[in-house]
Amino acid sequence: MLSSNEISLTATMRVLVLFGLVAVALADVARFEGEKVFRLKPVQDEHVTFIKDLAKSIEVDFWSPESAEVVTTGTDVDIRVPAIYLDMLYTLLQQSDMEHSVLIEDLQAAVDGQADLKPSPRAHSYTKYNTWNDILSWMSSMASSNSGLISRQVIGNTYEGRPMTLLKLGKASSSTKPAIFMDCGIHAREWISPAFCQWFVKEALSTYGTDSQMTSLLDQMDVYVLPVFNIDGYDYTHKSNRMWRKTRSRRSGSSCVGADPNRNFDAGWCSMGASSNPCSDTFCGYTPESEIEVKNVADFIRRNKSTIKAYLTVHSYSQLLLFPYSYTYDLAADHNELMKVAEGASAALRSLYGTRYTSGPGATTIYPAAGGSDDWAYDLGVKYSYTFELRDTGRYGFLLPESQIKPTCEETMLAVKYIAAYVQKNLY
């Protein structure tokens, strides 16, 4: 028999071992104390050279644009800089004479401040950034409680083996219906994006039968929704590193993890605005569709290309509504129509809270980027192909507070419904 002292000692040991394990688990979470996000305003070629040289010499995370190589004069550059480089950066910035400001004073405080601390009654909430596990169980409960309007299918597994569940919204029909495909969360850290896909599903199901436009849409068309495209990356941003962007695939011989799924589609692959360096945040992958998540989505769209009439992909941030092309400066064959629809959708979005979006082709509106899903879908024959870049314009960047989920989703709904209604009237 152990004495009471020994018992309390082993209990204490157990607690300490437990705390040790917790500490080890927590140690795996990236922290961003003292890191800052800067906005640089390059107006001369020397400024552009300065930014490109900076990216080569220190560890810089490009928030906008997505890499140093596409930096040009006249376009703001948002970068995240680790605390250890700040003194050096301030000195260099003074010498460079380039206008600059600090968008985020302390990144860790912004990460901590993202959550709206009001307790939520349920694990899943439409005004919270839900974890992957919560989204998974939400999908299952939505499908079982709305079986007449929604079904689920797994279009393949991710690199780490998670099922890619696609939701199909629409009134069941004996004949094949034309469809719209929408995905969210291609880039792991853009949390507002999956929040919108969840909001869309909720709105579609709750307004069917009362909202004439939604009722007509789901009666006549199907809407495929992939709430999280890059599931492994999204899970990793919740558990390990909030700033992760890419997939989580690995290759023997390289210590660098993942590729940028939105540079991995077979559309001008790896030609411009993408990197062939596996450690880069815009790494295009080893071959087109090398990322299994990209291949799964591309295979599904190819199999259903006769019915899919529109492709919508949701990103953040910048408040843009983009359409092809991004891999070339050439205008799309349907440029005028795509522009007209984008401007109508942007006006609908603006009507609610006054949020201003800019519309146009990717390459000329922001910067060239090859291997994007919207260009790929368009070249496959999906005419109405759009990329949304949701709120904001850089004040919070990827760390949009949860208090902005509702207004962001409400206004974006108006734009998506505008595009859907147009597509429904202009089937081809």
Side-chain angles (χ1 to χ4, degrees), residues 1 15 23 30 41 70 79 81 96 101 134 146 158 170 186 204-205 253 285 296 305 341 363 374 380 382-383 391 404:
M1 281 287 283
V15 168
K41 294 183 174 287
V70 293
I79 53 168
V81 181
S96 78
S101 58
D134 287 342
N146 300 278
T158 65
I186 279 188
L205 297 176
N296 290 339
K305 77 172 198 177
V341 175
D374 55 350
L380 185 72
V382 182
K383 177 160 75 161
R391 291 192 191 184
Q404 289 197 39

Side-chain angles (χ1 to χ4, degrees), residues 230-264:
N230 177 9
I231 302 167
D232 297 348
Y234 183 72
D235 194 61
Y236 189 75
T237 58
H238 277 267
K239 291 174 179 168
S240 298
N241 182 347
R242 177 65 186 84
M243 289 297 127
W244 188 257
R245 166 185 166 92
K246 299 191 284 182
T247 61
R248 295 294 301 163
S249 59
R250 292 168 183 275
R251 268 280 166 121
S252 60
S254 173
S255 59
C256 294
V257 177
D260 181 338
N262 210 38
R263 298 291 186 282
N264 191 238

Side-chain angles (χ1 to χ4, degrees), residues 257-323:
V257 177
D260 181 338
N262 210 38
R263 298 291 186 282
N264 191 238
F265 282 82
D266 197 358
W269 181 75
C270 220
S271 55
M272 56 206 294
S275 172
S276 52
N277 170 7
C279 305
S280 163
D281 258 349
T282 54
F283 175 46
C284 59
Y286 291 96
T287 54
E289 299 180 21
S290 59
E291 303 313 288
I292 188 64
E293 298 84 358
V294 170
K295 186 171 171 16
N296 290 339
V297 169
D299 281 345
F300 179 85
I301 294 176
R302 274 191 288 261
R303 276 198 306 276
N304 295 279
K305 77 172 198 177
S306 61
T307 56
I308 295 175
K309 303 300 176 188
Y311 171 78
L312 307 177
T313 180
V314 182
H315 291 253
S316 75
Y317 61 97
S318 284
Q319 294 171 199
L320 302 165
L321 183 45
L322 306 172
F323 50 87

Side-chain angles (χ1 to χ4, degrees), residues 157-163 232:
N157 287 342
T158 65
Y159 179 82
E160 292 180 347
R162 296 179 177 88
D232 297 348

Side-chain angles (χ1 to χ4, degrees), residues 166-181:
L166 181 69
L167 300 174
K168 178 185 180 181
L169 279 63
K171 191 164 185 285
S173 157
S174 50
S175 57
T176 315
K177 295 157 71 186
I180 294 171
F181 186 101

Side-chain angles (χ1 to χ4, degrees), residues 59-366:
E59 199 185 315
V60 177
D61 173 15
F62 279 79
W63 281 24
S64 178
E66 293 169 341
S67 67
E69 63 163 352
V70 293
V71 170
T72 54
T73 53
T75 304
D76 291 355
V77 176
D78 299 350
I79 53 168
R80 164 171 77 99
V81 181
I84 49 168
Y85 300 121
L86 289 175
D87 287 348
M88 182 176 116
L89 180 64
Y90 276 122
T91 308
L92 291 169
L93 280 171
Q94 272 178 318
Q95 293 167 356
S96 78
D97 241 13
M98 182 179 12
E99 193 189 330
H100 60 274
S101 58
V102 174
L103 290 176
I104 297 177
E105 280 290 348
D106 184 295
L107 192 67
Q108 188 59 46
V111 168
D112 296 337
Q114 201 182 7
D116 191 359
L117 295 173
K118 292 199 290 285
S120 165
R122 273 170 247 89
H124 180 277
S125 163
Y126 292 105
T127 53
K128 257 185 25 189
Y129 293 122
N130 299 299
T131 63
W132 169 243
N133 284 343
D134 287 342
I135 294 172
L136 202 53
S137 41
W138 165 80
M139 283 194 281
S140 131
S141 73
M142 289 306 267
S144 53
S145 55
N146 300 278
S147 56
L149 277 179
I150 183 171
S151 61
R152 284 181 299 169
Q153 67 186 99
V154 174
I155 59 168
N157 287 342
T158 65
Y159 179 82
E160 292 180 347
R162 296 179 177 88
M164 293 179 71
T165 302
L166 181 69
L167 300 174
K168 178 185 180 181
L169 279 63
K171 191 164 185 285
S173 157
S174 50
S175 57
T176 315
K177 295 157 71 186
I180 294 171
F181 186 101
M182 177 166 70
D183 62 54
C184 291
I186 279 188
H187 291 136
R189 62 188 178 184
E190 298 167 9
W191 283 7
I192 187 62
S193 168
F196 176 70
C197 268
Q198 293 163 71
W199 187 278
F200 178 86
V201 171
K202 161 188 81 83
E203 280 296 300
L205 297 176
S206 64
T207 63
Y208 177 83
T210 53
D211 177 278
S212 60
Q213 193 198 329
M214 188 61 80
T215 307
S216 159
L217 177 68
L218 297 184
D219 281 348
Q220 292 178 27
M221 297 186 77
D222 290 323
V223 182
Y224 293 108
V225 180
L226 185 64
V228 186
F229 184 120
N230 177 9
I231 302 167
D232 297 348
Y234 183 72
D235 194 61
Y236 189 75
T237 58
H238 277 267
K239 291 174 179 168
S240 298
N241 182 347
R242 177 65 186 84
M243 289 297 127
W244 188 257
R245 166 185 166 92
K246 299 191 284 182
T247 61
R248 295 294 301 163
S249 59
R250 292 168 183 275
R251 268 280 166 121
S252 60
S254 173
S255 59
C256 294
V257 177
D260 181 338
N262 210 38
R263 298 291 186 282
N264 191 238
F265 282 82
D266 197 358
W269 181 75
C270 220
S271 55
M272 56 206 294
S275 172
S276 52
N277 170 7
C279 305
S280 163
D281 258 349
T282 54
F283 175 46
C284 59
Y286 291 96
T287 54
E289 299 180 21
S290 59
E291 303 313 288
I292 188 64
E293 298 84 358
V294 170
K295 186 171 171 16
N296 290 339
V297 169
D299 281 345
F300 179 85
I301 294 176
R302 274 191 288 261
R303 276 198 306 276
N304 295 279
K305 77 172 198 177
S306 61
T307 56
I308 295 175
K309 303 300 176 188
Y311 171 78
L312 307 177
T313 180
V314 182
H315 291 253
S316 75
Y317 61 97
S318 284
Q319 294 171 199
L320 302 165
L321 183 45
L322 306 172
F323 50 87
Y325 282 107
S326 287
Y327 72 79
T328 171
Y329 288 108
D330 296 346
L331 297 185
D334 303 289
H335 174 84
N336 292 345
E337 186 184 9
L338 291 172
M339 186 66 153
K340 181 185 77 173
V341 175
E343 286 180 334
S346 297
L349 186 152
R350 190 166 61 244
S351 71
L352 193 58
Y353 296 113
T355 309
R356 294 195 165 274
Y357 269 57
T358 304
S359 308
T364 52
T365 308
I366 42 168

